[in-house]
Amino acid sequence: MTAIVGHSAALLGFLASTGGLLFLVVGLVRKRSDLIRASWTWVWGVVGAAVLGFGAMEVALVRHDFSMQYVADNGSRSTPLLYTVASAWSALEGSILLWVLVLSIYLAALSLRHRAQRHDPVFGWALAVMLVVAGFFFLLLLGPANPFHTVHGAIPTDGPGPNPLLQNHPLMAFHPPILYAGYVGFTVPFAFAIASLITGRVDEAWVLAMRRWTLVAFGLLSVGIVLGAWWSYEVLGWGGFWAWDPVENASFLPWLTATAYLHSVLVQERRGMLRVWNLSLVTATFALTILGTFLTRSGVLDSVHSFTESGIGPMLLGFFAVIVVVVCGLLAWRGDALRSPGTIDSPVSRESAFLVNNLLFAAFAFVVLLGTVFPLIAEALNNSRLTIGRPYFDRMTGPIGLALLFMMAVAPALPWRKASTGVLRDRLLVPAWAAGITLVVLVAFGMRSVAALLAFSLGAFAGAAALRQLVLAARASRRAGDPLWRGVAGRANGGMVVHLGVVVLAMGFAASMSFVQRDEIRMHPGQTAKVGRHHVTYVGVDTKKYPNHTAVRAAVRIDNDRIFRPALSTFPFATQAIGTPSVRGGVFDDVYLTLVSPPTTRGGTAVIGVVVTPLVNWLWAGGAIIAIGTGLALVPGKRRRRPTAPASEPFATDVPEPEAVPV
């Protein structure tokens, strides 16, 4: 019965998407307000179908309905409830179902947010584009990614449960939905970009309409990526958090292009420049989410995160190709209208710095994309399998990352149009001193790695520049008698908080990659070893049974304090034991323990893996600061200009706010 409900929901969603699209397009072309109003009924049909389908899947999983093939493949009576709920997105078909649910939530939010503009052509065409995307994913649910197939033959009484790696840490319940919320969220700015090209209204109105949608998606994707790195660190047992895995890259690529867009769109709002570039960045961001879905769902690349090979790959690749062709055609069609009225007056100006910033982000994205897909290209051309590993990515992206840290400090400090020497001296003197002092202190303490010295010095440069603006904003808020949070709210100062988060994250990344210490020690009970500045004592081993697995646990005391228990966990239906690390976190470093090999006899020796990683917790703190900064950027600043556009124009009340403080 549940399978019938779920399949009917997928069919209803596809029909509602198609019906709503037809009503909208005919209504917009023929200017029939009655058809446009009627399309809203179809939109809510899409939302209801997505909620019904996802709800049916969760009910089947929680009730252990093994007559449904997806539950038989991914469910188990012994799996804890949290992981049973999370198994709805632990396999290919369920992940597409989650995509549809998140997309429907955005569709509902867009409809409610812009209900006053429902008859405006820009909003109408944007809604139509989202219905096309929704219809495509519902079609996947009806075809190669159908999660509602029933079992043929005897119905099993139990199942294997999710992949052991996906039921080994609570982050599995939060990381994928948040990542998807960011991924799918870029459908909204993409829809507005296409709508502006279709209607020919390619001025700044569409940019203002979807600015907050882009910020929401950016913030969620940022948090999702950081949580994914944290999951990798806590679960996979190798002591790292980022391996340039193809699936990691698939989420990082749209983040890079979205970040570039959020910077360059300021130039378009202020000077009317970079229109084609911004449209290209928005559409590239959405296209990269589809390409990333292809890479992670088709099985064409080997990855610990990827799902098994299926027939979904050709459809996703075809959809990606359609997006590229349609966007290129629309850009060529509207080429004359997209000519920018402004030009760069001076190479030493904010718009010039943002252009350099964008070129760096584009180069970063190209390097990552090339390293990710080149093995596919080589296999297609030469029938040979290649692997591009971490050395390529570290060597190619390192200089770009350092240049971006430098631009993070310089670009916001430059005025528009032209900068004088005096202005640059006043705004960059304190950050320059911070960078110089940081460099001297680190050299005095014995740091000799050139890459690490540059990273920390440039991080201090960028961080001090952001703090300077926030201090000025706080002072202005105090003089006005406003609460502190109001002074740092708004896009400009929220962006500076995001910059601080990126700096903290970059420092954590540089330290943890440059100064990590690893060792594998064969120890008998009571033996103590020293790794870095920490003493590790092996106490013994025990076995503990959990509802879904059995763990052989080593008791390890760190610095004569607490005992931590790295383990080897054996899950039913798993072919080998899964390592479960144990981590003692700290502000300045982590001690990461794994049980490499348990003792073969009672009281025998065990092999304990120890990894000491400096500042790794700064990564998670940086992600939290980025989330806070994004939230502040979504809050309207205290001072806003009055609308100057005629009331009949769309989105006339959504106008750019001035910078928070005259820094």
Side-chain angles (χ1 to χ4, degrees):
M1 181 63 182
T2 309
I4 296 175
V5 172
H7 188 79
S8 299
L11 180 60
L12 173 62
F14 177 73
L15 293 176
S17 302
T18 306
L21 178 64
L22 291 175
F23 271 69
L24 256 180
V25 171
V26 174
L28 290 168
V29 171
R30 297 187 177 181
K31 299 181 179 179
R32 292 273 304 275
S33 59
D34 58 328
L35 294 180
I36 295 175
R37 281 195 304 271
S39 66
W40 276 56
T41 304
W42 295 95
V43 168
W44 292 109
V46 172
V47 176
V51 172
L52 179 62
F54 192 83
M57 175 58 71
E58 288 290 5
V59 168
L61 287 165
V62 172
R63 295 178 61 184
H64 305 301
D65 182 1
F66 295 109
S67 66
M68 190 183 298
Q69 189 66 55
Y70 187 90
V71 180
D73 292 338
N74 301 283
S76 171
R77 298 185 186 277
S78 62
T79 302
L81 180 61
L82 177 68
Y83 300 112
T84 296
V85 172
S87 61
W89 50 81
S90 67
L92 168 68
E93 296 85 356
S95 70
I96 300 300
L97 189 59
L98 176 63
W99 184 294
V100 168
L101 176 68
V102 175
L103 181 60
S104 72
I105 293 173
Y106 276 108
L107 195 59
L110 180 73
S111 300
L112 293 173
R113 172 66 179 83
H114 294 292
R115 59 187 179 275
Q117 291 93 22
R118 69 172 69 179
H119 296 294
D120 182 85
V122 172
F123 171 72
W125 283 108
L127 194 60
V129 172
M130 292 195 68
L131 287 173
V132 170
V133 178
F136 171 76
F137 279 93
F138 274 114
L139 185 62
L140 292 179
L141 292 178
L142 291 171
N146 186 353
F148 302 110
H149 284 305
T150 54
V151 172
H152 296 291
I155 297 175
T157 58
D158 203 352
N163 184 315
L165 291 174
L166 303 182
Q167 51 175 318
N168 209 17
H169 198 282
L171 276 175
M172 177 56 195
F174 306 101
H175 152 56
I178 294 175
L179 187 72
Y180 272 55
Y183 232 52
V184 181
F186 289 115
T187 309
V188 180
F190 167 75
F192 273 110
I194 296 298
S196 70
L197 288 170
I198 291 174
T199 59
R201 290 176 13 199
V202 293
D203 56 9
E204 282 58 65
W206 74 272
V207 172
L208 304 176
M210 43 68 73
R211 184 177 67 201
R212 284 191 171 86
W213 295 106
T214 310
L215 274 172
V216 168
F218 166 82
L220 289 169
L221 183 60
S222 301
V223 173
I225 290 173
V226 172
L227 289 179
W230 196 3
W231 174 86
S232 178
Y233 179 71
E234 292 278 350
V235 170
L236 297 185
W238 61 292
F241 50 85
W242 191 266
W244 297 107
D245 180 274
V247 180
E248 294 171 340
N249 296 346
S251 61
F252 189 46
L253 282 167
W255 185 90
L256 288 170
T257 53
T259 306
Y261 168 76
L262 287 172
H263 287 83
S264 65
V265 74
L266 299 174
V267 180
Q268 182 175 350
E269 292 181 18
R270 190 67 175 252
R271 300 291 311 279
M273 300 164 54
L274 305 181
R275 289 177 175 176
V276 174
W277 179 247
N278 286 327
L279 285 166
S280 300
L281 284 175
V282 168
T283 54
T285 300
F286 177 72
L288 285 171
T289 65
I290 301 301
L291 180 63
T293 307
F294 164 74
L295 295 175
T296 58
R297 304 301 185 268
S298 63
V300 297
L301 290 174
D302 294 329
S303 166
V304 69
H305 305 78
S306 63
F307 295 112
T308 56
E309 187 173 354
S310 74
I312 199 175
M315 294 184 69
L316 286 168
L317 197 58
F319 190 51
F320 171 79
V322 169
I323 293 169
V324 173
V325 171
V326 169
V327 170
C328 290
L330 288 173
L331 288 173
W333 181 33
R334 299 297 186 185
D336 292 338
L338 289 169
R339 291 177 181 173
S340 299
T343 58
I344 294 178
D345 299 328
S346 169
V348 187
S349 62
R350 187 173 297 188
E351 51 266 48
S352 179
F354 280 160
L355 179 59
V356 173
N357 171 284
N358 266 232
L359 293 176
L360 289 171
F361 273 114
F364 205 135
F366 176 77
V367 167
V368 175
L369 180 62
L370 180 63
T372 304
V373 303
F374 188 78
L376 292 179
I377 299 173
E379 185 174 0
L381 295 178
N382 301 326
N383 198 26
S384 59
R385 294 186 66 87
L386 298 178
T387 300
I388 295 182
R390 184 170 191 159
Y392 161 82
F393 290 103
D394 289 345
R395 188 162 49 247
M396 297 296 291
T397 62
I400 302 175
L402 294 174
L404 283 170
L405 280 176
F406 176 77
M407 295 305 300
M408 279 175 56
V410 172
L414 291 172
W416 296 100
R417 296 186 181 275
K418 188 176 182 179
S420 66
T421 304
V423 169
L424 289 178
R425 183 180 61 250
D426 292 342
R427 297 182 180 182
L428 294 177
L429 181 62
V430 172
W433 271 105
I437 292 172
T438 301
L439 179 62
V440 170
V441 170
L442 291 177
V443 171
F445 276 89
M447 185 180 292
R448 294 296 182 266
S449 169
V450 175
L453 287 171
L454 284 173
F456 278 96
S457 300
L458 290 173
F461 187 49
L467 279 173
R468 176 184 176 275
Q469 177 159 326
L470 291 173
V471 168
L472 291 175
R475 288 177 180 174
S477 175
R478 186 176 59 184
R479 286 195 298 268
D482 294 328
L484 178 62
W485 73 268
R486 172 59 69 181
V488 298
R491 183 175 53 177
N493 292 313
M496 291 301 100
V497 176
V498 171
H499 278 197
L500 283 178
V502 173
V503 168
V504 171
L505 195 150
M507 297 305 94
F509 188 88
S512 59
M513 301 295 282
S514 301
F515 306 112
V516 61
Q517 296 174 289
R518 299 174 181 271
D519 203 354
E520 288 188 0
I521 311 168
R522 184 174 294 276
M523 308 177 74
H524 56 76
Q527 182 179 350
T528 298
K530 185 177 181 181
V531 180
R533 63 187 184 92
H534 297 283
H535 292 85
V536 178
T537 303
Y538 172 54
V539 178
V541 68
D542 66 0
T543 301
K544 184 172 182 179
K545 292 185 178 296
Y546 295 89
N548 60 332
H549 68 279
T550 301
V552 177
R553 308 184 306 172
V556 181
R557 191 183 302 276
I558 299 177
D559 295 333
N560 295 320
D561 191 8
R562 287 178 53 198
I563 287 181
F564 293 81
R565 299 184 184 276
L568 287 174
S569 302
T570 303
F571 289 79
F573 302 99
T575 57
Q576 60 183 14
I578 303 296
T580 304
S582 184
V583 184
R584 194 194 79 167
V587 175
F588 298 106
D589 62 14
D590 275 14
V591 181
Y592 186 98
L593 302 172
T594 55
L595 177 58
V596 179
S597 176
T600 56
T601 60
R602 185 178 182 85
T605 59
V607 179
I608 307 296
V610 184
V611 183
V612 178
T613 312
L615 305 188
V616 69
N617 278 327
W618 288 32
L619 294 162
W620 330 135
I625 296 171
I626 290 172
I628 293 170
T630 304
L632 290 171
L634 288 167
V635 177
K638 180 184 176 183
R639 294 177 294 169
R640 298 179 64 89
R641 301 180 203 156
R642 294 295 180 186
T644 56
S648 59
E649 287 191 18
F651 319 116
T653 59
D654 197 358
V655 295
E657 57 190 79
E659 292 185 330
V661 290
V663 295

